[in-house]
Structure formats: C-alpha cells, structure tokens
Amino acid sequence: MRHGLILWREGELSFSDVKARQVRLQQAIIAAGLDGVLIYTNHVRSAGVTWVSGFTPYWSDGLVLVLREGLPIFLTALSKRVGEWVKSVAPTFEVAHSPFPGKLAGERLAKVGAKRLGVVELDRMPGGVVEEIDSVLPVELSDATDLFTKVRGQVDGAELNLVRLTDGIAREAFKAGDATSKFAGDFTGPVERAVRLAGAEECYVAVAPDLSKDRCFIRTGKAALGRTFAARLSVAYNGVWVRRIETFSAVSEIASRLASVSVELDHASPIHPADGSISAFYLPDGAKLIDWHLEAPYGTRPLKIVADAEKPLAAPVPYGILTTAFTQGGETIVAARPVGIGDTWRREAAE
Amino acid sequence: MIGEIRKRRLIEAMEDAGLDGLVLYGNAWQNDYLRYAADFGILEGEGLAVVTRDGDVTLYLDDELEGERAAVECPEVKTSIANDLIGTVSDVVARLGNSRIAAGPKRHLPYGLAARRGDLCFEDATALLDRLLMVKSIDELNAVRSAARLADEGYAVFRNAAAVGKKDYELIAEIESFFRNEGVDDNFMIIGVGGPEVRGMAPPLGKVLKSGDLVTTELTPCVNGYYVQICRTLVVGEPNEAQRKVFGIYNDALEAGLAVVRPGVTAADIARAENDIFRAHGLGEYVTSEYTRVRGHGLGLFPDTKPHILEDVNTVIEEGMSLIVHPNTYNPEIGYFVHGDSLIVRADGPEILTTTPRQLFSVDARRVAA
C-alpha cells in the first residue's frame, strides 16, 4: 500500500488541468471510433488513472471508464466509506461501487449502447474483470495502449512542475543522511523520514552499499556501507514519481568531489532531451560512461525503463529519469536525475 | 528455509489436487499467492511465478530494477526479467502442453495469459492457495510471532509521537521510519483523527491533532512477508466520560470475540459474540455494513486475508490460523473507534500475540509538536 499523504491540491494540479487531459483522451477515443477506454489501476500500476484523474489508490484496485463524453467513472470494490475519501482527494470523476467493478463497467457501457471498448494494456487486465464485462455486454475489446501512450506523451506544465517539486523533495531529503554511517539503514532512515515529512505520497529507498564491489541496489538496512556507496530515492508526490540517485563517501576528499559532480548534474540534466539519445548525456570532465538507462511514465506504470544502451526509445515520453553510471578519478559514480523538464529548473538549481 | 517449507506444502497440495502446474500472480498489494511459492517481496511492477509438479519454481518480473534486487536479496529463487511478461510466461505455459494448470488468484490472472491458452483454460487454484495461506506451518507461525513484537513497538512509537499540532502524515512518517530501520518490509496503516464526525479510518488527510481528538489507527507491520495487526485508540488529553464508557463496550466486545476463538467454531461465531455486546447496548445498527466492514480477519502473507470475521461467514476456525479480532466501528457519541489484537489459533484456544495493554490511551494535551 501507499504510506503517505494524499490530497487534492488544486494549486499544484487543478481540476482544469485534469479536465484538459480528459478532453484530449476523449477526442482520441472518438477519432479511433471507440465508445470508451478502460484503464486499470492498483497502487503499482497507477500512472494511467493518476494522469486521467489525479487519483492514486492507497490500496486495492479499481478501473476508470472514460466514455466519449462526461466525467470518467471510477469503478471500485472499495466500500462506500472509503469512497468518501476517494471523492475528497479526486473530484475529477464519478465514484461507483460494486463488489464486481467489471460488471458495473459492463452496465455503464450497455447504458450508452457501446460496441467497441479500448483497454489500456488489455493483456494485463485482470481476467476476472474482462469476464465480468463480458457477462453483461459482449463488447468488442481492443488494446488501447498506443492510443493512450500518444495522448499521454504530450506533457503539460502542471506535470512538469510536479516533477521539479518532487525532485526537490528528494534532493533536500538526501541532506538528512549521514555519509559516515556504518550501515545502510542508518543512512536511509533519516532520509526516508525527511521525504515523508515533506508530504510525499510514497518513498522507497534502496542502496548500493559498496560501489567498489558492484552497483546492485538492495533494500536491506543491515548492509555495511563501503568507502563509496549510492542511495536511490524513489519518491511519489501528487501522482508523480521521481527517482534520484546520489553517490556518497565517508572520505571527505572524495565526498567533496562527489558533491561537486552532483551540483554539475543538477545544472545540466533538466534540459537534456528525454529521448534516450546518448549524445545528449552530460558527463563531468574526465568521466567515462559505464552504463545508462532512461525511465519514463509508460501506460499504467509510473516509471518504466524505456531506453538503455541496447534498446532505443520506441515512442516519445513526456519526460524521463536518466540513470548513469560512470567512473571518474578512479571512483564509480551512479546518478539519476529528471531530464526533459526544461531550463527553469536549471536556473533555480543554479541559484 | 521458510520458503522451502512453503514450497513443499504447495507441491503436496498440487499432487493431492492432481495439478501439473501453477501460475501465481502478485504485486506489492496482493503478493501472498506469489510469495508463497517464490519468496520475494515485490515492490514495483508485477510478477508471475510458474510452479511445476516436480518442484521447479521460476519467478518472472517485469521490472528490471526489481529483478536486480531479487537476484541479490533472494538468490535461491530462480528469477527471470521479462519485459514482455505475458508473452514470456505464455510461452513457458505452452511448453507444459496439454496438462492441468491452475492459476491463483484466478481473478487477477492477466487476460492475455488466459486468452493465449485458449480452450485449454486455467483451472482455479484460488481455494487451494487460500487454504495454505490460512492454516500455517509451525515455521510460518513463528514468523507471525516475530512480527507481533514490532506491532507492539510500533504502537509505542505512535503513542510517543502523538502531540498537539502534529499532522497525521507526520505521525505516520515517524512510524514508517521506525519500521524501516527495524527491517519491516511493509506496513498497512490507516488513521482517523477527530470526534463524532469521523466515520472511519482513511489514509492521512493532513489533519492536525488537537486536544480532545480521538486518534485511531491500525498498524500492520510485515516482517519477512508476514503481517500482524494491532488496533488501538488514543485520546489527545484526558478522556471524557463518553469516551471512557464507549471504550468499555469495545473492550468487552473484543474480549467476547477472543473468548470464543478455538478450533471448530466458525468465523460467524466470533463475529456474533462481538456484535452481541453492541446489541446489548442498543448499538446493533453500528455493526452493519453501513458503519463497519469486518469484525476481524485473517493475517499472514496478506494483511487482510481470509477468513473475514462476519456473521455470514461460516468458515471453520482451525488450529494454525492467525487472525485479528477487532470490533472496530463507528459510535454516534464519540466517532469511529478501534480496538483489536492479533492471535494464533491453538488447540486450547487463542494465543494472543500483541501485548500492548488494552486500555484507552491518552497523551498529555500539553505535549506539543516541535
């Protein structure tokens, strides 16, 4: 489940921001000759529904049915009492309850005489939901992942601002960590606390405890920290996920060099295009690239690897998180930063 | 080791049912079926485990970062990263040919897998797995006992962190930080802050604690995959007369429910014992689904597993189950109130796991958040 604060924050993501997204999706639905699009959500595969409504389930799952017109409908097996909470944090859709949400979707589709339904990631839809729909209305199902990806690929200002804000939470939280800690948990505990106190929806922390050995990130807090280690913060805030990786050292000389590299990356990364083009990478002087990958929101996944050294980017993404590993001055450094979010952030970071 | 024991039980159950293979689905919320076979606490993305009758288990994950973590944290589990999860697992299942393959939880089996198997179909392994999940082995019960200590310690942290002026999510930040430092993988937790206007618990809403508020929570830490829950209510400041009186009713209901627990009774018997206390006080309306969901539930690899403790659930309680009994519901005088303890069902009755005193806690109203 999620573990943090979830609120409707009109100042950060307004009803009209979300409405504009819904309208764009409805235009695409009409253009494709569909009667509606169905998007599944649980708190792991939340990105599609979050984008179209601003809502992320705290636990359990649900469906959002977007018809050609009108407010989308959130169909859930959650109780009506939980539904009151859902409405309080997402005024952008109608909430409908049933122990069988797929059946309810079928009933709503029947009401508008639907014949063709697009389903985002149809292959991944729980089979029980499809059976429930089919039991009410044998509608023609087609995969709407490409349709959704195309619409979702157009980023809006509200989302970019949230990416910047979320990255800022992660950047500040790292300051709570003590790089001279003996064990990973000693470092990550205060960092996670700082993220949550900043009002994040969720925070996952992982550590590559000794970069002289390998670059594998694990979650166990008992691992002893080596001379240099990397920490990865995955932070969710108002529906947006950002990953940020920093490399640390208990050796002061190395630590100050790492801090300089971090600042350089903060200056350079935001304006990099999120297109997975390796030529666009910023690397500090003398650095030698080991590996990289680009993550981005994709379908129902908040972040998914969409390009790496072997796999080119297949479709445009709204923004990305670029993770790089490189050596500099004999040290292995791992870093992750948002890319493709414009230069406003660059100026702010520089200040 | 515990993973090996589970796998052995699973294979035995498959043999008894005449199944040749199993496909088990999991994500970070509904991970119990997957984890039973492939001992990995998935966090991002989704996973499918394919189990064959000869004892082979392979975990397929669609997230590269999770695959990397599984390789380090669970080296004994055969893990494969599959960008095309459905295509990959479909091919694996196809190679099993015309054999008896079941899926669990059947409802969550991805549509693409079922569609590609066509007429061969997947049988439903949900009940088979549910039984294994409910009635636990000795080693599993020991894991549940270990988690109970952290539920108690977590509630102490919660009580100590509660202060006037503190926001609900800040309180949760303290708990999560404590749990993570203690190696707790996950924690199911909801909260309520306020008075008669509060009709249930929810995720944190940014509410600020003030004098006179009831603060309700259920904490459900997960240790090595096993969840244990504790429900308690505290008052900011001195409890008033109504709050004390209502606490007495809920405490009686909890004790009445616990007194019934033993092998052979049904989930309905436990629920009825709890609800009779409310009915005796003229509060029968508040034990209906309008105001409350369940009167307790199973615990294990999922925080809210079967059996649900309700008057219409006739599941027979068996030795080796772990449950929470919680008569949580709305009270019109003081608002939503929670009170519950976890237990293991033994031959001679319940072994209560959580040791936090059953009392209406209060925090000094002069304690102000920093």
Side-chain angles (χ1 to χ4, degrees):
Chain A
M1 70 175 300
R2 288 285 167 92
H3 304 93
L5 177 66
I6 293 188
L7 275 182
W8 179 257
R9 300 166 169 105
E10 178 72 19
E12 292 174 358
L13 178 70
S14 69
F15 184 85
S16 58
D17 291 329
V18 174
K19 186 74 196 161
R21 295 174 184 177
Q22 292 172 354
V23 168
R24 270 165 44 207
L25 182 56
Q26 285 171 324
Q27 285 166 348
I29 288 169
I30 292 165
L34 295 170
D35 295 303
V37 157
L38 193 64
I39 315 170
Y40 175 76
T41 182
N42 54 38
H43 77 286
V44 181
R45 290 178 50 197
S46 56
V49 163
T50 303
W51 182 82
V52 83
S53 69
F55 175 68
T56 301
Y58 218 68
W59 71 92
S60 196
D61 59 359
L63 304 163
V64 163
L65 177 62
V66 184
L67 296 171
R68 286 174 162 232
E69 54 187 36
L71 272 187
I73 310 150
F74 179 58
L75 307 149
T76 178
L78 288 165
S79 71
K80 286 186 179 166
R81 288 182 303 125
V82 178
E84 291 304 313
W85 168 74
V86 174
K87 282 182 213 162
S88 76
V89 298
T92 54
F93 51 32
E94 176 196 340
V95 180
H97 302 267
S98 166
F100 307 104
K103 207 169 158 224
L104 198 51
E107 287 163 8
R108 292 302 187 100
L109 287 163
K111 219 184 225 178
V112 296
K115 290 189 172 54
R116 296 188 66 214
L117 176 67
V119 180
V120 177
E121 295 167 359
L122 173 60
D123 261 5
R124 294 291 191 97
M125 182 64 78
V129 170
V130 177
E131 281 173 21
E132 285 167 19
I133 296 171
D134 201 47
S135 72
V136 178
L137 183 74
V139 69
E140 179 194 329
L141 300 178
S142 60
D143 186 82
T145 311
D146 286 347
L147 176 149
F148 183 77
T149 303
K150 212 169 276 176
V151 178
R152 204 257 175 269
Q154 302 166 44
V155 71
D156 52 49
E159 186 171 19
L160 286 182
N161 282 333
L162 283 170
V163 175
R164 295 175 190 123
L165 205 158
T166 309
D167 187 49
I169 289 173
R171 191 173 42 135
E172 287 303 305
F174 270 127
K175 292 177 183 168
D178 177 1
T180 64
S181 299
K182 196 169 173 195
F183 296 104
D186 300 333
F187 178 87
T188 57
V191 172
E192 176 167 351
R193 182 173 175 274
V195 171
R196 295 187 182 283
L197 287 175
E201 283 173 9
E202 191 50 280
C203 172
Y204 298 146
V205 193
V207 170
D210 189 347
L211 290 174
S212 69
K213 291 181 181 158
D214 59 50
R215 289 177 278 114
C216 292
F217 283 86
I218 54 173
R219 270 170 56 83
T220 171
K222 309 277 184 223
L225 294 174
R227 193 176 69 150
T228 57
F229 64 96
R232 181 176 72 207
L233 267 179
S234 307
V235 179
Y237 179 88
N238 208 352
V240 160
W241 278 88
V242 162
R243 272 194 238 283
R244 188 178 174 95
I245 300 175
E246 298 278 14
T247 301
F248 297 95
S249 177
V251 181
S252 59
E253 188 186 299
I254 302 171
S256 70
R257 191 145 44 92
L258 292 171
S260 300
V261 168
S262 177
V263 170
E264 281 182 55
L265 288 169
D266 275 340
H267 287 187
S269 298
I271 56 165
H272 282 165
D275 62 2
S277 55
I278 195 160
S279 59
F281 285 13
Y282 171 79
L283 287 176
D285 277 350
K288 195 174 162 199
L289 186 68
I290 304 171
D291 202 3
W292 67 275
H293 63 255
L294 181 75
E295 293 177 271
Y298 186 87
T300 61
R301 291 284 303 278
L303 288 176
K304 174 182 161 66
I305 294 180
V306 290
D308 59 27
E310 283 150 23
K311 182 175 70 180
L313 187 68
V317 293
Y319 59 90
I321 307 290
L322 179 65
T323 296
T324 50
F326 52 90
T327 55
Q328 190 205 38
E331 302 296 337
T332 298
I333 298 172
V334 188
R337 297 287 188 280
V339 293
I341 58 171
D343 64 357
T344 312
W345 176 237
R346 186 186 191 189
R347 282 198 302 275
E348 286 171 5
E351 283 162 15
Chain B
M1 169 144 176
I2 200 166
E4 278 303 311
I5 292 166
R6 286 199 304 251
K7 193 166 91 178
R8 207 164 49 233
R9 289 185 76 203
L10 183 61
I11 301 300
E12 282 170 12
M14 285 171 69
E15 283 171 0
D16 289 348
L19 291 172
D20 300 302
L22 276 178
V23 178
L24 303 172
Y25 165 87
N27 63 41
W29 167 245
Q30 181 88 49
N31 192 34
D32 43 353
Y33 291 67
L34 182 78
R35 190 155 190 169
Y36 199 90
D39 193 17
F40 179 59
I42 189 171
L43 202 60
E44 297 187 57
E46 293 176 302
L48 288 164
V50 177
V51 186
T52 54
R53 199 171 169 167
D54 58 7
D56 187 68
V57 179
T58 306
L59 173 63
Y60 297 89
L61 298 170
D62 66 355
D63 186 286
E64 288 91 336
L65 303 184
E66 287 288 85
E68 181 184 88
R69 188 167 67 83
V72 178
E73 291 184 3
C74 310
E76 67 283 2
V77 178
K78 199 164 37 165
T79 305
S80 175
I81 300 164
N83 198 30
D84 175 12
L85 186 66
I86 305 304
T88 303
V89 175
S90 283
D91 290 347
V92 171
V93 170
R95 284 199 289 276
L96 297 175
N98 187 16
S99 51
R100 288 187 61 199
I101 301 173
K106 182 75 186 301
R107 180 184 161 72
H108 283 275
L109 182 75
Y111 169 73
L113 269 181
R116 288 176 207 200
R117 191 154 166 78
D119 292 340
L120 288 175
C121 298
F122 286 94
E123 295 182 37
D124 190 348
T126 310
L128 180 148
L129 262 296
D130 281 349
R131 170 140 190 88
L132 293 172
L133 289 163
M134 280 195 291
V135 184
K136 297 171 186 68
S137 68
I138 290 166
D139 298 83
E140 288 184 281
L141 293 174
N142 285 336
V144 171
R145 286 185 182 97
S146 310
R149 178 182 65 81
L150 280 156
D152 284 318
E153 289 181 15
Y155 193 71
V157 170
F158 183 85
R159 245 168 49 212
N160 291 334
V164 170
K166 188 162 259 184
K167 292 175 180 145
D168 50 9
Y169 69 89
E170 294 172 338
L171 204 46
I172 289 174
E174 303 294 348
I175 298 293
E176 289 298 327
S177 179
F178 166 75
F179 278 154
R180 239 18 50 72
N181 285 350
E182 294 292 324
V184 172
D185 308 333
D186 188 21
N187 170 39
F188 180 86
M189 179 176 183
I190 42 181
I191 191 168
V193 176
E197 78 284 3
V198 178
R199 296 206 157 223
M201 291 185 290
L205 298 161
K207 277 193 169 182
V208 181
L209 273 62
K210 61 182 188 309
S211 182
D213 278 348
L214 283 185
V215 184
T216 54
T217 192
E218 53 182 42
L219 291 185
T220 324
C222 172
V223 180
N224 293 325
Y226 288 89
Y227 290 88
V228 162
Q229 189 166 84
I230 185 168
C231 305
R232 289 290 187 274
T233 300
L234 65 81
V235 181
V236 182
E238 274 301 301
N240 61 32
E241 191 56 35
Q243 288 166 336
R244 284 183 204 281
K245 184 188 77 184
V246 169
F247 167 76
I249 297 169
Y250 284 67
N251 198 44
D252 287 350
L254 172 57
E255 290 184 354
L258 292 173
V260 171
V261 175
R262 64 182 176 279
V265 303
T266 63
D269 293 331
I270 303 170
R272 203 171 299 114
E274 294 176 67
N275 292 346
D276 281 347
I277 299 292
F278 287 88
R279 287 190 275 259
H281 287 273
L283 295 167
E285 181 187 351
Y286 299 99
V287 300
T288 61
S289 60
E290 178 88 5
Y291 295 97
T292 184
R293 190 177 66 89
V294 288
R295 320 307 283 146
H297 49 81
L299 291 163
L301 289 174
F302 187 59
D304 183 17
T305 194
K306 291 174 188 167
H308 283 163
I309 307 296
L310 284 168
E311 289 193 59
D312 60 357
V313 173
N314 288 311
T315 306
V316 175
I317 301 301
E318 293 181 53
E319 186 177 358
M321 286 182 170
S322 52
L323 312 169
I324 181 159
V325 174
H326 62 37
N328 305 346
T329 191
Y330 177 70
N331 178 278
E333 261 189 286
I334 66 166
Y336 199 77
F337 197 97
V338 304
H339 198 50
D341 277 320
S342 291
L343 61 93
I344 284 172
V345 182
R346 296 195 336 190
D348 55 351
E351 172 193 341
I352 310 296
L353 300 177
T354 33
T355 59
T356 300
R358 284 186 208 134
Q359 67 181 69
L360 180 58
F361 291 99
S362 69
V363 297
D364 193 330
R366 290 168 300 182
R367 190 201 284 173
V368 177

